[in-house]
Amino acid sequence: MRELNAEPLTPEAFAPFGDVIDTRIADCFPINAGRTRRYHDLATVETLGEDARTLISIFVSQPVALPLELDFLERHPLGSQAFMPLHEECFVIVVAPPGEVIDPAQVRAFVTDGRQGVNYRAGTWHAIQSVLEREGEFLVVDRGGEGHNCDEHPLEVRVNLAQRPSL
Ligand SMILES: NC(=O)N[C@@H](O)C(=O)O
Ligand code: NI
C-alpha cells in the first residue's frame, strides 16, 4: 500500500496531469459594458473519437473519510474531465501520468483550497471524485459519445492530509 500526504494544489505541480481552474491566477477582460469580467479559456477541453461531444453535468457527492484508501485509479482516454466546485468545496486529487501502466512512484496526491477546480487531461489516471468534509456540488465538463471512455487500473494507495486546506 503506497502512503501519500496530499500536498496543496498548484498549477505547476499539476501541469503533467492537466489544468488548474482558478480565477485568482487567471487573466480576465471586461465584457457586457464592463459589468462582467470574463476569465477566458481556463482549461483545454478534449473530446476525441466517434460522435464525440462535450457534456456539462452536475455531480453531487458525499464526502470521503480520511485517510482515503483507494484500490484503483481510472482514466478517460477519449476526453478531458473538469471538476469545478460550486460552493467552495475542498477535494482530494490523486493522479498519475497518462500511460498504459501506472508507476506507483509517479502517483501524486493534492488537496484543493475551495477556490480551485481541475481539468484532467485525456488519459490522466485519477481517483474518482473525492470531496472532503461535506456534501459537494460540482460542475463537470467531460466527453460524451461512442466508444469506451473509462479504464480502471488497480492501485493501492492511502492518502492523508499533511495540512488542512485553508482559503
Ligand atoms: N464516472 C464519472 O462520470 N466520474 C468519474 O469519471 C470521476 O472521475 O469521478
Ligand atoms: Ni473520471
Side-chain angles (χ1 to χ4, degrees), residues 59 61 74-76 81 83 120 126-130 140 142 149-150:
F59 283 23
S61 298
E74 65 167 34
R75 69 174 177 183
H76 309 299
Q81 187 174 52
F83 292 89
Y120 300 121
H126 58 278
I128 58 175
Q129 219 259 335
S130 302
V140 178
D142 58 6
N149 191 32
C150 188

Side-chain angles (χ1 to χ4, degrees), residues 35-96:
R35 234 184 22 221
T36 302
R37 294 191 304 276
R38 179 173 175 135
Y39 292 85
H40 181 69
D41 195 11
L42 298 181
T44 302
V45 178
E46 299 166 278
T47 54
L48 312 168
E50 184 187 352
D51 295 335
R53 64 191 185 94
T54 304
L55 305 178
I56 293 180
S57 309
I58 297 275
F59 283 23
V60 177
S61 298
Q62 296 310 308
V64 297
L66 292 174
L68 175 62
E69 298 202 351
L70 304 172
D71 55 12
F72 74 94
L73 297 185
E74 65 167 34
R75 69 174 177 183
H76 309 299
L78 298 179
S80 56
Q81 187 174 52
F83 292 89
M84 191 66 203
L86 297 181
H87 312 291
E88 297 193 347
E89 297 91 336
C90 298
F91 58 106
V92 172
I93 295 161
V94 183
V95 285

